[in-house]
Amino acid sequence: MGKITGFLEFQRLNEAYAAPAARLKNWREFVLRLDDDQSRQQAARCMDCGIPFCNNGCPVNNIIPDWNDLVYRQQWRKALDVLHSTNNFPEFTGRICPAPCEAACTLNINNDAVGIKSIEHAIIDKGWEEGWVAPQPPSRKTGKKVAVVGSGPAGLACAQQLARAGHAVTVFEKSDRIGGLLRYGIPDFKLEKSQIDRRISQMEAEGVEFCPSTYIGDAADAADGLTTRTPSSLKEEFDAVVMTGGSETPRDLPVPGRDLQGVYFAMDFLRQQNKAVAGDRLTGQTLAKGKHVIVIGGGDTGSDCVGTSNRHGAASVTQFELLPQPPESENKPMTWPYWPVKLRTSSSHEEGCDRDWAVTTKSLQGENGVVKKLVAARVEWVKDEATGQMKMQEVEGSEFEMKADLVLLAMGFVSPVQKVLDAFGVDRDGRGNVRANTDDYRTSVDKVFAAGDMRRGQSLVVWAIREGRQCARSVDAFLMGDSDLPR
């Protein structure tokens, strides 16, 4: 458990960032990982708390105290093995996970949690640098074939686990590159795509076959230039099919002026920029340079739009959130060890952004078909006496206007693409997701499984990895009668 008195001797040490003025000039990652000595000192703070709440706070149940102790003792390779035992892609989570493990850390009762995420980041990066992350091809082949539809974190985790179990795995992806929303939904300044590329190379060496630019569903619904496969053809060719696509249907804004030019979904905006960084030549890319940008939605996707707009050179960036401003810090006795609701300021916000809460958009106004102004109003949330639920009501006389040359809708996602679910013929839950439980991840259609956002709805990368791993075990047991894969 690190050094017995370490939590008394050492303070939390956060990873350093490149200065905003420097990092806004490029699309590179700017978080500077802890060096060996800093990581050792941070790991020394992991106390002998008796019940490691961090393990349960982490969706993949990382064995955090164990690899903290190994880092403290400078046994880096063993630490990497322990980290990989529960997480296929710690280089993703070590960069973009919000770290619910740290919220659950016993030291967080004093607002001084162990820097678990920074230690994870240090372990995996050192593993790559030292050449310890190598392909793990299976010792035997089972003769079974599995199709994985979707190459985001759930699909990649599921595919890697199944390939290591000896199955022949093919991953289908409708985009032109592998990675799903890791590739096109997260800006490069948070996750450089070389992190994905080297994992793909590892998985190819383990026997996974990747088929990008391939749409699974009705050919009439596919974009131009894509290869099309039907779900029925996959079921004929493969012994099992796993649906691991994302929750890709964005929540829209049904207000007057929504159809004006300059009003876009956040993912369309982010995807274009990621393709440009990858070297693609785009015609008509949406750029924020010199524009007054308004981002509607206060989550991570909205924050990514803020950072991207600032790198474009926006004249101003404003972010609206419908809910009230959360408290600066949580009530620890009420919330710990659970994930708290509190004010969170991202690195993108620090680069330049005006934020406002409890604001609703009433209309968008423009000239010659182009958005020029946003009309908004203040709202308050009051409890409905009949139902006990909180309901929103507009504050009388609070309407105001703002300049708006570019409006980005980042209000979350409501469900997977329904046409894909229609093509597979699977049952859905009340939210439009694939109906499947976490015991076996099986859908209502024989041989078809589902995991990740397509099953649970919009969620975190770390949850997608967990579901992909668990689903792989269920598929392996379905094919072989039993499974040695971890759950």
Side-chain angles (χ1 to χ4, degrees), residues 65 109 117 143 163 178 186 196 247 294 301 343-344 465:
I109 295 172
K117 179 179 173 181
I178 298 298
I186 299 173
I196 305 172
S247 182
I294 295 181
T301 301
L343 181 63
R344 302 178 192 277
I465 294 172

Side-chain angles (χ1 to χ4, degrees), residues 252-265 268 286 291 294 296 361-375 402-409:
D252 210 339
L253 183 68
V255 298
R258 166 62 182 90
D259 57 347
L260 289 169
Q261 184 179 340
V263 184
Y264 305 107
F265 287 119
D268 295 338
T286 302
K291 296 178 180 178
I294 295 181
I296 301 177
T361 303
K362 298 189 69 174
S363 68
L364 299 163
Q365 299 179 10
E367 299 174 5
N368 300 318
V370 180
V371 68
K372 293 296 180 183
K373 185 166 56 178
L374 180 144
V375 180
M402 289 194 67
K403 288 183 179 180
D405 304 308
L406 177 61
V407 178
L408 300 172
L409 309 181

Side-chain angles (χ1 to χ4, degrees), residues 241-282:
V241 179
V242 187
M243 304 172 67
T244 61
S247 182
E248 296 182 66
T249 305
R251 183 172 284 106
D252 210 339
L253 183 68
V255 298
R258 166 62 182 90
D259 57 347
L260 289 169
Q261 184 179 340
V263 184
Y264 305 107
F265 287 119
M267 276 301 167
D268 295 338
F269 176 68
L270 296 174
R271 179 185 177 88
Q272 288 182 0
Q273 185 55 52
N274 283 3
K275 290 177 75 67
V277 173
D280 291 356
R281 290 194 170 192
L282 306 180

